[in-house]
Amino acid sequence: MNKLIITKMEICQVPCYVCAREEDGRIMELRFEPIDHKSALGNIYVGQVENIAANIGAAFVQISAGERCYLQLSDVQDAIYASVKKENRPIKPGDEILVQINREAMKGKLPAVTTNLNFTGKYLVLTTGDKKFGLSNKLSNDDRSRLSKWMEEEIHRPDKEYGLIVRTNAADASKEELLRELEYLKSLYRKVAVAGKSRTCFSCIYKTEPIYISAVRDINSRSLEEILTDVPEIFQEISGYLKENSPEETTKIRLYEDKLLPLYKLHRLETALEEIRHEKVWLKSGGFLVIQQTEAFVSIDVNSGKFTGRKKMQETYRKINLEAAGEIARQLQLRNLSGLILIDFINMENPDHQDELFHVLQKHLRRDPVKAKAVDITPLHILEMTRKKVRKPVIEELRELR
């Protein structure tokens, strides 16, 4: 049974909103945010170009006095200018443009911004820079064909100022729901574009939803069976959101009212946080993982652990590695690890076993809401993979609470 758990709890003595995705009794993903400090990820600002660093293909943009962000010049497509752009030229210092934070500051790096503004709905994403039409890779061929046909008028509209991406959740949407959301996103885009041209420099002209609303919006509806919260005001807010955007899902939300056993204890969220703090993760087979974050990459080492026998050793290594592949996919989501990830599985002599392991890991990664891909196995038997960077690793967020 897949659940979305939303609650309040203290983490490192700081009151936080917590959203956790549970699959078959195990916490797969955990996000939190201090109640008095909302993340700026996804917010849109009137930024000012501070300087251009052509040698690294980047610009530095201020979104408030002294708060600098990194803007990749190759991302600057059809930027919306707050200040008047007098000629067809590249951006230059002093220009005021609309930028959206698309990656939080992490490991000493500045936050990243883009001029390709994204407006995310449950079924669609409207983009201002990239004007192409795209569909989620996780949609079936039948769904892709049906949804493309529904959006045909938008795809071939000659004067459109935006692109569209159809999300995985659209598989369960009706044509009316899809088109209704499209109109909402278009009106939101126009409102931001108009406001951006009349607001002063460093203004925040669009703020993303609270963490618990975005969690409801982004989760795969098809596999979700229940949304559970023990916070009455959050229950009311989510109920209103679902009634407005997904009326058929209003039956999924439930208010947990047991005062003797808090929701976060019932679902062992403290245990999940403690698991994230430790590098070693034990497997049921007796093997274990060691997960370490370095400046350049994430290192994961698979060990045989308590197994000491010699009989059928290669088959045992195969079983440990296959179990490890599933647990690694879970840990990447739970800890929100991203970038380059190097996995040192236990060496297996049989090439068929190596191919099987690679494809099993790929299968698990396809279920990850964040784009993740197994790339190759090196001659030294190190599996290379990548996972898209969006938010900070959970362990980094925990350190910042202290």
Side-chain angles (χ1 to χ4, degrees), residues 241-255:
Y241 172 83
L242 291 175
K243 187 175 180 181
E244 179 72 23
N245 296 278
S246 305
E248 72 286 352
E249 293 184 13
T250 53
T251 56
K252 291 184 178 180
I253 187 163
R254 180 166 68 88
L255 182 63

Side-chain angles (χ1 to χ4, degrees), residues 44 118-121 126 181-194 205-207 209:
I44 298 174
N118 282 10
F119 299 91
T120 304
L126 184 147
E181 182 170 278
L182 174 61
E183 289 306 313
Y184 167 73
L185 294 176
K186 283 159 66 174
S187 68
L188 186 60
Y189 153 63
R190 293 187 188 111
K191 183 179 176 182
V192 168
V194 169
I205 56 175
Y206 173 75
K207 288 187 177 182
E209 302 96 335

Side-chain angles (χ1 to χ4, degrees), residues 22 64 100 112 136 142 147 181 230 233 236 248 293 321 369 380:
E22 183 184 84
S64 66
Q100 183 173 38
S136 166
D142 287 345
L147 294 166
E181 182 170 278
D230 57 353
E233 57 268 31
Q236 293 297 333
E248 72 286 352
Q293 173 91 56
N321 280 337
L380 295 176

Side-chain angles (χ1 to χ4, degrees), residues 44 71-80 98-100 102 114-119 125-133 160-165 189 193:
I44 298 174
L71 171 65
Q72 196 168 326
L73 290 177
S74 60
D75 275 355
V76 181
Q77 303 175 52
D78 298 318
I80 299 174
L98 300 195
V99 292
Q100 183 173 38
N102 64 344
T114 179
T115 58
N116 180 19
L117 310 182
N118 282 10
F119 299 91
V125 179
L126 184 147
T127 63
T128 64
D130 188 349
K131 296 183 171 54
K132 296 177 182 176
F133 176 78
K160 68 177 182 182
E161 305 169 3
Y162 48 82
L164 289 171
I165 300 168
Y189 153 63

